[in-house]
Amino acid sequence: MDGCGMGSVDGGGGVGRLCVWGSGVGGVDGMPVELDDDGVDEGAWGECGGSELVGVVEGGVGGNWSRGGGGDVGGWGGVRGVGGDFVRQVGGSGGEEGWEVGSVGENIAKTDNAIKLIVCSLARNIEESKLALHLLLVLSDNDMARNIIGNSQGCILLLVTISGSDDPQVASDAKQLLETLSFLHENIVQMAKVNYFGPLLHLLSTGSESVQQMMAETLAELEMTDHGKVMVCTTGTLESLVAMLSHIDIHMKTAAILALEKLSSVPENRVKIIKHGASEILFGILFRDSLSIPTLVEKVVGTIMNLALSLNLCESDHGEVPFLESEEDVFKLFSLISLNGPNVQQNVLRTFIAACQSSSGLNIRNTLRKISSVQVLVQLCEHENQNVRSNAVKLFSTLTKDGDDETFIEHVGVKYIETLVKIIKTSDDIEESVAAMEIISNLPKYPQMTRGILDAGALQVIISILSNRFQKTELMIDSASGALCRFTHSTNQELQKEVAETGIIPIIIKLLDTGSTKTKQNIAISLKHFSENSNTLSVPVGPKKNFFSCCMSSPDTSCVVHAGTCAIESSFCLIEANAIIPLAKVLDEPDFGACEAALDALLTLVEGELLQKGSKVLEGCDVIVKIVKLLSSPCVKLQEKALVSLERIFRLVEYKQKYKTLAQMPLVEITQRGNSGMKSVAAKILAHLNVLNEQSSFF
């Protein structure tokens, strides 16, 4: 197209200040001429615009009218007068002084640059813009003129802009002219390119099959903003596109697939597309139509992946959505990984990552493990394409979260674990590093697996991350603290010593003050594991042999709770590590998981024979009063643990007397509202406190 192209439009109701390119408005060699609020560069327009346009219009109608206003025909005054008379007489009711519109329009259309000059005047001030718009609307009744109007550079952009005018008549005229111009498919495409989709969407719904295909292809090819994509999906577009998916003609299918892939890139549209049943049809195309066109397979998988990303959002509003319902569908989709290149591979992996988080996620995860996907994922974790590798690690991590599985023992070896450690140390993708750390944390806790993880250097990496926490993201600290838990289980004292000798215990205790709630929970779990062995690992203090050894001996260094001498790295004593107060602070956390883990760690100090000494330590750090407050927690599990621990602590006279008043009301409420087991324990405590008779029916 040629004429006067538009640079930018600035204005609300009319057309204000903008730049126009082209010699028709004084442009030289394509350079822009700025049009201000009062009009164009009057000198330039007078030379090659205004007087020429007056002559054009006069020539078109034979010059048989008087110029309204009688201004200078070489400037805009003459154009206003001539144009105004033309609109009144040609565009009005006609009469004796009127002209035949078709002949006048054709004469003007045949005149060099006439219509293009009128189009350029759309870019002037409001008055000239209105006049030009009305003139073009009248001329558009002529076929030749209509073709030239639509083909004039910048015309459709200006008309779309003007159609948003605050002036109802101006907006209506612009929309009417756009409707007239939509007779030509090329014009419809140009309208869509400037976010005017009405004509295109109308033809997509009502046109012939070839026209529908063309419109769908146009949608797929357009460079659209997210806002534009959402606008398109607010009409009946999706019904038409989904219907085209089931068409027997492969070209119709392809056009619909390409359009849906583009529209599904916006989250708001995905839910609508899923609701229209597109996902089931797409799976049918992928599995049952035996697609042999690699690029089309890629587009179908890409669209399915987009829809999978919004499964949870869709289910939250509309209930469970059918997606990968059968084991056969899961197998067929996963098998595409081995048959296609990196683009399809990563999209299939992302689809499964999203689907595994949906309401049917457990079934999908079970099926994936059953079809030996783990073996494939292990291989993909060394893939040269970073996106494929990253998504393979993330999906593998998802599959490990359901607990131990023999599949992992069979396929996960030292080489794979070394790969995970390398990823943690070198990957720039934080999510990939976190997923790799979660795999290490979740792999089966068998001794040989844990030893393999140690041999791969995973413990050193974990300690490095926790020691240099300010250089790592919160997610990385969370995952590393979770992975540490597998090395601290109380069933393996030798491994506990290996961990403690690295000096990690004082470091993780600091994280109880600075870490996230998830990190605090993980650290408390590890400290509980350590503390469970403290009493047996405490070194007994031997008897004094004689008078001189009594006089010469050093002060008593035995632990106030455990049986003998404690040390952080040998007996993992919480008291020696100064962990009691940090753990007590975590009891005030609103997060139930962190609070419960901290409580479990602290209660290791009152297990069995440690009750009296341990209670004294807890009381000195205000832990008992915090446990009493947990009786009112909305978390039933926390209430139960608080009840059981207080039932033992309140057997000691000094504590039941001190906390009787504080504990009585929460305990009474539990006897009234708790479950049967909690009621019984609460009644026992009230009996300790002499509030209930021990023969009460609560027992």
Side-chain angles (χ1 to χ4, degrees):
M1 293 188 299
D2 54 8
C4 52
M6 304 305 143
S8 60
V9 180
D10 181 19
V15 178
R17 189 180 190 89
L18 65 149
C19 289
V20 184
W21 283 266
S23 59
V25 201
V28 180
D29 295 329
M31 296 299 290
V33 177
E34 191 172 67
L35 310 184
D36 59 25
D37 292 333
D38 296 324
V40 288
D41 176 349
E42 295 292 346
W45 184 268
E47 290 178 11
C48 60
S51 60
E52 184 178 347
L53 180 55
V54 173
V56 165
V57 177
E58 286 181 330
V61 298
N64 296 319
W65 73 66
S66 58
R67 299 186 186 99
D72 175 14
V73 297
W76 271 106
V79 177
R80 290 190 186 98
V82 173
D85 283 340
F86 179 81
V87 169
R88 283 193 297 273
Q89 296 186 61
V90 177
S93 58
E96 293 182 2
E97 297 181 355
W99 293 275
E100 182 67 34
V101 175
S103 61
V104 174
E106 187 170 339
N107 287 341
I108 293 177
K110 289 179 179 179
T111 305
D112 289 344
N113 294 324
I115 289 178
K116 293 174 184 177
L117 288 170
I118 300 172
V119 168
C120 287
S121 67
L122 288 172
R124 289 180 55 81
N125 59 41
I126 295 174
E127 181 182 350
E128 305 302 341
S129 177
K130 287 182 180 180
L131 181 61
L133 176 60
H134 201 163
L135 191 56
L136 290 171
L137 187 58
V138 172
L139 291 173
S140 67
D141 285 341
N142 177 268
D143 291 343
M144 182 183 296
R146 187 166 59 244
N147 283 330
I148 298 174
I149 292 170
N151 201 41
S152 297
Q153 185 174 352
C155 179
I156 288 176
L157 169 60
L158 281 170
L159 290 175
V160 171
T161 303
I162 296 170
S163 70
S165 170
D166 291 335
D167 185 323
Q169 186 59 51
V170 170
S172 176
D173 286 350
K175 290 175 183 176
Q176 185 179 345
L177 183 51
L178 285 167
E179 181 67 25
T180 301
L181 296 177
S182 66
F183 80 100
L184 196 63
H185 292 163
E186 286 80 357
N187 290 346
I188 291 175
V189 172
Q190 292 303 315
M191 293 176 196
K193 287 181 178 179
V194 291
N195 282 348
Y196 193 80
F197 298 104
L200 184 149
L201 300 182
H202 176 71
L203 287 181
L204 183 64
S205 301
T206 62
S208 64
E209 289 186 355
S210 60
V211 170
Q212 286 182 322
Q213 179 183 328
M214 182 189 302
M215 295 301 106
E217 289 170 346
T218 299
L219 270 181
E221 293 168 1
L222 285 174
E223 290 296 328
M224 302 169 66
T225 64
D226 286 353
H227 176 68
K229 295 172 186 176
V230 172
M231 285 173 57
V232 166
C233 287
T234 56
T235 64
T237 308
L238 294 180
E239 288 88 341
S240 302
L241 291 175
V242 172
M244 288 173 65
L245 287 178
S246 301
H247 201 283
I248 191 171
D249 183 75
I250 188 64
H251 300 294
M252 289 283 281
K253 285 183 192 288
T254 301
I257 290 167
L258 297 177
L260 285 171
E261 184 197 28
K262 171 151 289 187
L263 296 176
S264 66
S265 64
V266 181
E268 296 96 313
N269 289 345
R270 295 170 190 158
V271 174
K272 297 177 183 177
I273 296 172
I274 292 172
K275 285 174 60 180
H276 280 83
S279 56
E280 295 174 82
I281 302 175
L282 288 168
F283 278 124
I285 293 172
L286 196 60
F287 300 150
R288 288 174 281 282
D289 289 3
S290 301
L291 288 181
S292 58
I293 308 172
T295 54
L296 193 54
V297 171
E298 184 176 325
K299 296 297 181 181
V300 174
V301 172
T303 307
I304 290 173
M305 183 269 293
N306 284 341
L307 300 184
L309 295 177
S310 289
L311 276 178
N312 283 335
L313 179 61
C314 190
E315 289 177 342
S316 65
D317 294 333
H318 308 285
E320 188 170 347
V321 176
F323 199 87
L324 290 173
E325 291 186 292
S326 70
E327 290 187 4
E328 182 182 6
D329 284 350
V330 172
F331 173 77
K332 286 181 177 179
L333 182 60
F334 193 84
S335 66
L336 292 178
I337 291 175
S338 302
L339 303 174
N340 293 275
N343 289 339
V344 171
Q345 289 176 327
Q346 65 174 305
N347 284 339
V348 169
L349 292 168
R350 290 185 67 191
T351 299
F352 277 114
I353 291 169
C356 284
Q357 312 303 320
S358 69
S359 58
S360 56
L362 179 59
N363 291 334
I364 294 173
R365 295 194 298 273
N366 286 336
T367 302
L368 283 171
R369 286 188 288 267
K370 185 186 299 185
I371 64 174
S372 299
S373 64
V374 171
Q375 183 177 3
V376 176
L377 293 175
V378 166
Q379 296 170 354
L380 290 178
C381 286
E382 296 187 68
H383 200 284
E384 60 182 9
N385 183 289
Q386 184 176 351
N387 289 328
V388 173
R389 184 194 73 190
S390 175
N391 286 295
V393 173
K394 292 171 188 176
L395 180 56
F396 195 108
S397 172
T398 299
L399 297 183
T400 64
K401 293 179 180 178
D402 296 319
D404 292 358
D405 194 300
E406 291 296 328
T407 305
F408 301 116
I409 292 291
E410 181 180 353
H411 297 294
V412 174
V414 174
K415 182 180 178 182
Y416 176 69
I417 297 170
E418 288 174 346
T419 300
L420 294 177
V421 172
K422 181 180 178 181
I423 289 171
I424 294 169
K425 293 165 70 174
T426 62
S427 177
D428 294 327
D429 184 343
I430 295 300
E431 291 183 358
E432 181 186 20
S433 298
V434 168
M437 187 67 81
E438 287 176 345
I439 294 172
I440 289 174
S441 177
N442 296 332
L443 284 172
K445 305 300 189 293
Y446 301 147
Q448 66 185 63
M449 179 69 76
T450 299
R451 177 47 58 186
I453 293 172
L454 281 170
D455 292 343
L459 180 58
Q460 287 77 8
V461 173
I462 292 169
I463 292 171
S464 174
I465 291 172
L466 296 178
S467 300
N468 301 290
R469 58 191 180 281
F470 297 118
Q471 300 174 19
K472 302 294 180 181
T473 65
E474 185 176 282
L475 283 175
M476 201 70 236
I477 300 293
D478 288 347
S479 61
S481 61
L484 180 66
C485 295
R486 77 169 295 131
F487 302 107
T488 61
H489 278 283
S490 56
T491 54
N492 192 334
Q493 290 185 7
E494 290 303 316
L495 183 55
Q496 281 186 321
K497 287 183 179 180
E498 191 173 338
V499 174
E501 287 171 357
T502 65
I504 192 64
I505 292 179
I507 292 171
I508 62 176
I509 289 173
K510 291 179 181 178
L511 287 172
L512 291 173
D513 289 323
T514 61
S516 68
T517 53
K518 185 63 178 177
T519 293
K520 291 176 182 179
Q521 178 180 350
N522 291 334
I523 296 304
I525 290 171
S526 284
L527 291 175
K528 170 184 177 287
H529 291 162
F530 279 123
S531 184
E532 285 173 335
N533 283 326
S534 294
N535 197 42
T536 57
L537 293 174
S538 181
V539 179
V541 178
K544 298 178 178 60
K545 297 181 180 180
N546 53 48
F547 175 79
F548 294 105
S549 63
C550 179
C551 296
M552 303 287 291
S553 65
S554 59
D556 188 2
T557 57
S558 60
C559 178
V560 295
V561 172
H562 303 116
T565 302
C566 283
I568 299 175
E569 295 184 6
S570 59
S571 65
F572 329 129
C573 177
L574 296 182
I575 301 165
E576 284 293 315
N578 295 317
I580 310 303
I581 291 178
L583 285 168
K585 289 179 180 178
V586 179
L587 294 179
D588 297 323
E589 289 280 344
D591 183 85
F592 298 143
C595 186
E596 181 185 353
L599 180 62
D600 288 341
L602 290 165
L603 292 180
T604 59
L605 297 177
V606 292
E607 288 180 348
E609 62 186 21
L610 304 178
L611 177 62
Q612 186 154 6
K613 292 181 179 180
S615 296
K616 185 175 182 179
V617 171
L618 296 184
E619 200 273 337
C621 295
D622 293 330
V623 173
I624 295 178
V625 68
K626 292 177 185 289
I627 296 176
V628 171
K629 290 179 180 178
L630 291 178
L631 294 173
S632 302
S633 171
C635 176
V636 174
K637 198 171 182 181
L638 273 174
Q639 277 187 319
E640 290 177 341
K641 289 191 174 185
L643 273 173
V644 171
S645 60
L646 289 174
E647 193 278 325
R648 296 186 68 243
I649 292 171
F650 285 170
R651 293 174 189 175
L652 305 175
V653 176
E654 57 186 300
Y655 302 117
K656 73 177 181 180
Q657 290 178 343
K658 183 171 183 178
Y659 296 102
K660 174 180 178 179
T661 303
L662 182 64
Q664 183 172 328
M665 186 55 67
L667 289 168
V668 169
E669 287 187 358
I670 290 173
T671 61
Q672 296 171 345
R673 302 176 187 175
N675 59 48
S676 57
M678 291 173 65
K679 285 180 178 180
S680 177
V681 178
K684 287 182 180 180
I685 299 175
L686 288 171
H688 292 326
L689 302 177
N690 299 319
V691 175
L692 277 180
N693 188 289
E694 292 191 2
Q695 303 303 317
S696 170
S697 60
F698 279 110
F699 297 101

